[in-house]
Amino acid sequence: MSGSGPVVELRGLTKVYRGHLGIGRSLGLDGLDLSVEPGQVFGLLGPNGAGKTTTLKLILGLLRADRGEVRLFGRPASDAAVRARLGYLPENPYFYDYLTAEEFLDFYGRLQGIPRAERRARVQASLARVGLAERSSTALRKFSKGMVQRLGVAQAIQHDPELVILDEPMSGLDPIGRREVRDLILDLRRAGRTVFFSSHILQDAEMICDRVAILDHGRLRAAGRLGDLISTTVRWFEVALRGAVPAGPLQLLSSAGDEHLVRVPDVSALAELLETMRRTGGQVLSVWPRRDTLEDLFLREIAR
Amino acid sequence: MRRPRPLDAVVAIALNTFREAVRDRVLYLLVAFAVLVILSSRLLAMVTVGNEEKIVKDLGLSAISIFGVGIAVFVGVSLVFKEIERRTVYTLLAQPVQRWQFVLAKFAGLLAVLAVHVVLMYVTLAFALWMRGATASGLAPAVWLILVELAIVTAFALLFSTLTNPILAAVWTSAVYVSGHLSWSLRLLAERVPPGAGRWACEAGYWILPNLDRLDRKAEVVHGLDLPAGFIAWSTLYGACYVALVLALACLAFERREFR
Amino acid sequence: MRAPRWIAAGLLAAALGGASLSARVLERLTPARGRAEQLLYLPNGRHLRVLSLGHAPLLADLIYVWAIQYYSEYDTADRFRYVRHVFGDVIAELDPHYIDAYWLGAMILIIEARDLEGGLSLLDLGIERNPDQWILPYLAAWECQMASRPECAKRYFERAAAVPGAPPITRRMHAALLARTGALEEALRLWLAVLEDPASDDLSRAIAKRKVSEVRAKIDVSALRQAIETFRIDNGRAPHDLAELRRRGYIREVPTDPSGQPYAYDAATARVTSAAGRVLGEP
């Protein structure tokens, strides 16, 4: 296992989509530079149509780059052997109707090179891991969308790959499902694996990523450690209070009867407000510390 | 890390393809044929005078061929298309499997389905003939050549299905099938066209198109005539080489394909 | 990874070689199918029409073209067996108004297979289905004439001329045939009809005029000869001159030839001639 260089490295990656009969072109990706270090959880973010899926397909060899290069584990992406070290879950996966969960995982296990002796055990283990153990003999055509998604995850990790690539892994899942996927990704990181996923759900990304990259219209808008990108922002507080709104450095956000939600810019302004409320006998219902979320960063970058 | 042995991957995908086709509707075709052959056997006994055996043999052989071509065309063209349309091909190609292995495996799987179909139908025909005291053993050479013909048609079906949608692919494959059976007319045309580009084109067309009509020996086996020595062997070689060339084209086409 | 590339290329080259080699060997080995067998499988046109799904005339054309190719192969054994079937039952059933087919089939039968009856029966089929076509009976008449079957030819010429819109040539040919075979009165009638028909073109009219004179002269001469012969039988000698024939009642009056000249009678040889006849080529 080479642990030195980046697991995924993209340099100047460009993809142009040609229109029908050669008329019209649209830029899928424009000169993307990106690198993913081993053991990281990397989030590729952006609105729909930004080029996230294009990037993933270029990494996997489903598309050919017009310019630039893709290196996986230091080797060109066209090297088939490299794909033995990764697992992939596509967006909205759809699998063979006519197989059972077990047959399905066994089939992929064969393709992934898992020797027969271990295969059965691994299949059962991954089914259990994603919570489908009781459905191992059920035909896939009877699976719900969430179950299919979980089976897809099972297929992506059962051979214990060093790199796991997930395209919108949380899409279509209920909150429980989303939490399970988040936990799984964190487990993988704990085990020293690298996870590269794309999503347009920023809250999830915020919770688990080490690094993110934000794409829009095929271009990279922002990239770096999560802490770096959104830490240097002013924190503010939202305070819910009952009674008269005092004067001071605050901003009224909303009112309902005699209950108001106000925003104060920093800790000292907050202290001042609390003191004022105590003196005037008003009631402070709650205080929320807020910081810049990824969403704010996202909207700022996209608006530019 | 670990990689599957190439043969292992091909076998796995081929088996999967086989499983898919068999769990599909193909079996119903077999049942339909079996019923057809056995029924015709009994009905003819009531209706005709004379050599009903010949009619059963002719009907049987033609049905094996026609149903086989039907399966080759309609299952063959949907094979690759379904994978692409349902995006099951994405996860497949993300594995350490090369694209040409994928194509070869699909072909092997479909050929296995056709072989099973042909064998089962042959057994049914033999049974129907046995019920009237005749034997089907003499028909074996024609049945083998039918299988060779089916292999060629399947290879084309696979080639076209990597290139375009299933309807067009079915049309193209059927066109090749029909032309393959009429290629002798290109020969005749070549003799009548004045020497030059036209004649050259006819000759070229004749050699390039698969000569399927030559593989049709139903009349000979039904009448118990001998085939020339080595005919089966050379025909098999022709079929195998032709299939190899078409599959190479299919691999090439699939290699270059992008998945939007 | 260069090695597998070379292996793949080598395998493909081998496949190409194998395919070409085996194709050539099979060409030699394959027993040739009898060409006539192919014809046997051409079903009746009525059934083919059903199969053609509305494209019967096109199918007729295709079979026609194929038949031409087939029948130009002179070394095919027994190739005339199915001409009637191909052209009459197949092509003609698919497209009953395909005039060329009747004509070509008949030609093949008459000229190459020397089967006049067969050819005529094919033309009859065409005539029956296409009463508005003058060309078929005309061709039939022609062939009868070539085969020295004047009765047959006359019938067909009549038929051809009866078709509305038939060109004058049908009647001209008919008249010529009639004249040649001695039915001079009928010929005269026909020529007069051509002459008087307002639809006749100038050439036809000119020819008709000439022919009318010619035939009249012939009729006159023939009648005179007959009268002379009768006189000789009755009186044991030839008449002295034509006036004697009139006096004795063998002819009603002495005719003049169409140019107005009297007929010349040579008492020594008992022969009648006319100046006009000599000009028109009569002895």
Side-chain angles (χ1 to χ4, degrees):
Chain A
M1 246 210 276
S2 64
S4 48
V7 170
V8 178
E9 199 178 342
L10 309 176
R11 272 209 285 259
L13 200 57
T14 307
K15 177 71 186 162
V16 179
Y17 286 121
R18 266 161 272 279
H20 276 298
L21 303 174
I23 302 171
R25 291 150 48 110
S26 63
L27 210 53
L29 266 192
D30 190 7
L32 180 63
D33 289 319
L34 204 129
S35 93
V36 180
E37 300 295 326
Q40 277 182 355
V41 176
F42 196 106
L44 185 64
L45 311 173
N48 289 326
K52 306 192 297 294
T53 304
T54 304
T55 309
L56 293 183
K57 286 188 184 173
L58 283 164
I59 291 175
L60 290 161
L62 295 172
L63 290 174
R64 261 192 313 277
D66 290 313
R67 271 198 298 279
E69 62 169 355
V70 176
R71 296 189 90 82
L72 294 171
F73 302 102
R75 318 221 37 173
S78 49
D79 186 352
V82 140
R83 296 203 286 272
R85 298 161 76 174
L86 62 83
Y88 170 58
L89 172 66
E91 184 181 1
N92 293 326
Y94 186 102
F95 298 122
Y96 302 109
D97 277 4
Y98 52 92
L99 291 179
T100 67
E102 227 171 3
E103 287 171 338
F104 172 80
L105 287 179
D106 186 72
F107 172 55
Y108 275 93
R110 286 182 79 162
L111 297 181
Q112 287 153 349
I114 306 178
R116 180 203 295 258
E118 311 173 32
R119 222 165 30 229
R120 202 183 156 69
R122 280 197 180 249
V123 163
Q124 295 301 330
S126 6
L127 282 173
R129 179 85 181 273
V130 297
L132 288 173
E134 302 101 51
R135 312 287 189 149
S136 58
S137 321
T138 315
L140 289 189
R141 89 187 69 177
K142 301 203 181 98
F143 270 33
S144 73
K145 182 172 156 87
M147 288 159 73
V148 168
Q149 189 91 346
R150 282 192 267 162
L151 189 65
V153 169
Q155 166 274 131
I157 59 170
Q158 69 174 356
H159 54 302
D160 199 21
E162 293 164 57
L163 167 66
V164 180
I165 301 180
L166 309 168
D167 195 351
E168 306 271 359
M170 263 83 86
S171 82
L173 292 182
D174 58 21
I176 299 175
R178 305 233 299 268
R179 209 216 12 205
E180 286 173 346
V181 171
R182 284 202 304 270
D183 289 342
L184 177 82
I185 294 178
L186 292 174
D187 280 343
L188 287 171
R189 182 175 58 187
R190 232 170 292 136
R193 307 285 175 256
T194 312
V195 179
F196 183 78
F197 75 97
S198 76
S199 182
H200 60 272
I201 304 175
L202 299 171
Q203 290 83 345
D204 294 324
E206 219 175 299
M207 282 187 244
I208 53 176
C209 288
D210 297 319
R211 293 174 71 92
V212 298
I214 299 186
L215 281 186
D216 186 36
H217 287 97
R219 286 209 187 82
L220 189 62
R221 297 300 198 156
R225 296 190 59 81
L226 200 62
D228 294 340
L229 286 175
I230 59 178
S231 66
T232 58
T233 49
V234 175
R235 293 169 189 231
W236 74 95
F237 297 86
E238 284 177 15
V239 183
L241 41 84
R242 185 180 287 148
V245 178
L250 55 78
Q251 176 192 1
L252 180 65
L253 293 177
S254 66
S255 300
D258 63 347
E259 288 182 19
H260 311 280
L261 189 66
V262 301
R263 173 186 155 142
V264 287
D266 54 35
V267 183
S268 50
L270 174 68
E272 205 181 301
L273 174 63
L274 292 176
E275 181 58 33
T276 312
M277 292 308 292
R278 195 184 62 79
R279 270 188 289 111
T280 62
Q283 214 182 344
V284 172
L285 298 172
S286 52
V287 176
W288 289 285
R290 305 285 275 210
R291 61 181 181 85
D292 232 2
T293 62
L294 209 50
E295 192 173 333
D296 301 312
L297 171 70
F298 188 90
L299 292 170
R300 265 209 308 280
E301 291 300 328
I302 303 306
R304 271 210 281 128
Chain B
M1 270 288 283
R2 59 174 129 237
R3 275 189 79 178
R5 287 194 305 273
L7 194 62
D8 225 14
V10 169
V11 167
I13 299 179
L15 270 180
N16 198 42
T17 309
F18 182 84
R19 211 164 15 185
E20 172 176 11
V22 159
R23 286 185 194 181
D24 206 342
R25 275 158 279 239
V26 171
L27 277 174
Y28 306 145
L29 271 176
L30 292 181
V31 174
F33 173 69
V35 169
L36 184 77
V37 165
I38 297 179
L39 269 187
S40 78
S41 222
R42 309 227 72 123
L43 281 175
L44 283 169
M46 299 178 215
V47 169
T48 67
V49 175
N51 200 354
E52 307 110 7
E53 183 183 314
K54 173 185 186 309
I55 298 178
V56 172
K57 284 183 182 174
D58 282 338
L59 183 62
L61 286 177
S62 290
I64 294 179
S65 176
I66 291 176
F67 279 111
V69 171
I71 295 173
V73 170
F74 292 109
V75 178
V77 302
S78 66
L79 269 187
V80 174
F81 179 76
K82 260 201 292 189
E83 295 259 10
I84 295 176
E85 201 216 357
R86 298 191 180 172
R87 294 184 278 164
T88 47
V89 75
Y90 288 7
T91 31
L92 265 184
L93 291 180
Q95 309 302 325
V97 175
Q98 291 179 328
R99 294 207 184 182
W100 62 265
Q101 291 170 339
F102 178 76
V103 172
L104 246 51
K106 284 276 170 210
F107 176 76
L110 189 54
L111 192 61
V113 171
L114 284 169
V116 167
H117 150 90
V118 167
V119 165
L120 276 180
M121 295 235 212
Y122 183 47
V123 165
T124 311
L125 180 60
F127 176 68
L129 283 170
W130 173 81
M131 284 210 305
R132 26 186 57 255
T135 173
S137 58
L139 303 176
V143 173
W144 171 257
L145 289 176
I146 288 176
L147 191 59
V148 172
E149 178 185 350
L150 290 179
I152 297 178
V153 174
T154 304
F156 273 106
L158 208 56
L159 169 65
F160 293 129
S161 80
T162 61
L163 294 173
T164 177
N165 65 66
I167 296 180
L168 268 183
V171 167
W172 278 100
T173 310
S174 308
V176 168
Y177 175 69
V178 169
S179 325
H181 274 278
L182 294 177
S183 62
W184 52 266
S185 61
L186 272 177
R187 234 325 118 98
L188 290 181
L189 196 59
E191 282 165 24
R192 295 188 196 283
V193 167
R199 177 174 289 195
W200 186 89
C202 291
E203 288 274 345
Y206 175 70
W207 288 108
I208 291 176
L209 277 176
N211 192 335
L212 299 177
D213 193 55
R214 208 166 38 201
L215 297 170
D216 168 31
R217 295 291 128 199
K218 300 198 263 289
E220 279 83 349
V221 300
V222 168
H223 287 123
L225 300 171
D226 281 330
L227 289 171
F231 187 83
I232 307 269
W234 283 106
S235 293
T236 310
L237 179 65
Y238 177 72
C241 293
Y242 204 96
V243 161
L245 290 169
V246 175
L247 282 183
L249 281 177
C251 286
L252 212 64
F254 199 58
E255 201 67 57
R256 307 201 56 75
R257 204 179 156 133
E258 303 211 344
F259 298 94
R260 290 258 211 132
Chain C
M1 297 261 269
R2 300 256 80 171
R5 290 270 129 141
W6 286 116
I7 295 176
L11 278 174
L12 283 178
L16 193 58
S20 313
L21 176 65
S22 45
R24 272 185 223 290
V25 170
L26 284 171
E27 279 294 296
R28 273 188 293 114
L29 280 183
T30 306
R33 294 234 165 86
R35 304 276 309 284
E37 287 172 38
Q38 291 164 12
L39 258 186
L40 282 174
Y41 285 71
L42 203 58
N44 189 291
R46 275 193 291 277
H47 308 136
L48 279 180
R49 175 183 286 272
V50 171
L51 280 175
S52 66
L53 297 175
H55 301 283
L58 178 63
L59 190 55
D61 287 335
L62 292 172
I63 296 179
Y64 181 72
V65 167
W66 166 82
I68 291 177
Q69 302 305 315
Y70 182 82
Y71 284 108
S72 23
E73 286 272 308
Y74 293 117
D75 52 1
T76 313
D78 195 19
R79 63 195 181 107
F80 297 118
R81 184 139 54 117
Y82 297 103
V83 175
R84 180 83 173 62
H85 173 72
V86 170
F87 288 96
D89 293 332
V90 179
I91 298 179
E93 281 288 341
L94 282 172
D95 191 355
H97 302 296
Y98 202 168
I99 305 298
D100 281 351
Y102 299 111
W103 167 79
L104 182 66
M107 288 300 112
I108 294 175
L109 282 172
I110 295 174
I111 295 175
E112 301 202 8
R114 305 197 199 290
D115 176 6
L116 182 67
E117 291 307 324
L120 287 179
S121 81
L122 199 49
L123 285 171
D124 283 338
L125 192 61
I127 293 170
E128 184 189 315
R129 292 191 178 145
N130 297 279
D132 57 330
Q133 292 286 332
W134 62 269
I135 187 75
L136 288 175
Y138 182 79
L139 287 168
W142 225 182
E143 292 305 320
C144 284
Q145 204 169 334
M146 301 287 280
S148 310
R149 299 256 305 262
E151 287 310 306
C152 186
K154 280 185 204 167
R155 264 205 313 278
Y156 280 116
F157 273 128
E158 262 168 36
R159 187 71 194 269
V163 173
I169 192 169
T170 54
R171 275 177 294 178
R172 279 167 36 200
M173 289 295 143
H174 189 192
L177 175 64
L178 285 171
R180 257 204 307 282
T181 56
L184 294 172
E185 297 289 334
E186 285 181 63
L188 180 63
R189 261 205 309 277
L190 264 177
W191 282 122
L192 278 171
V194 174
L195 191 58
E196 281 151 19
D197 187 356
S200 294
D201 57 280
D202 293 336
L203 174 67
S204 297
R205 212 173 295 228
I207 296 176
K209 189 157 179 198
R210 217 183 51 185
K211 286 293 185 182
V212 163
S213 302
E214 199 181 304
V215 175
R216 274 212 177 108
K218 280 195 190 150
I219 289 175
D220 288 344
V221 169
S222 169
L224 284 173
R225 283 205 180 124
Q226 202 151 2
I228 290 169
E229 214 26 61
T230 314
F231 185 96
R232 186 207 290 274
I233 290 171
D234 283 350
N235 301 287
R237 61 162 179 91
H240 299 304
D241 55 32
L242 297 178
E244 192 179 357
L245 283 175
R246 181 173 56 81
R247 278 198 306 273
R248 299 283 292 274
Y250 286 91
I251 53 177
R252 259 206 322 265
E253 57 180 18
V254 179
T256 47
D257 75 14
S259 61
Q261 304 287 344
Y263 286 100
Y265 174 65
D266 184 350
T269 56
R271 292 190 65 223
V272 178
T273 51
S274 88
R278 260 199 299 278
V279 167
L280 291 170
E282 264 247 290

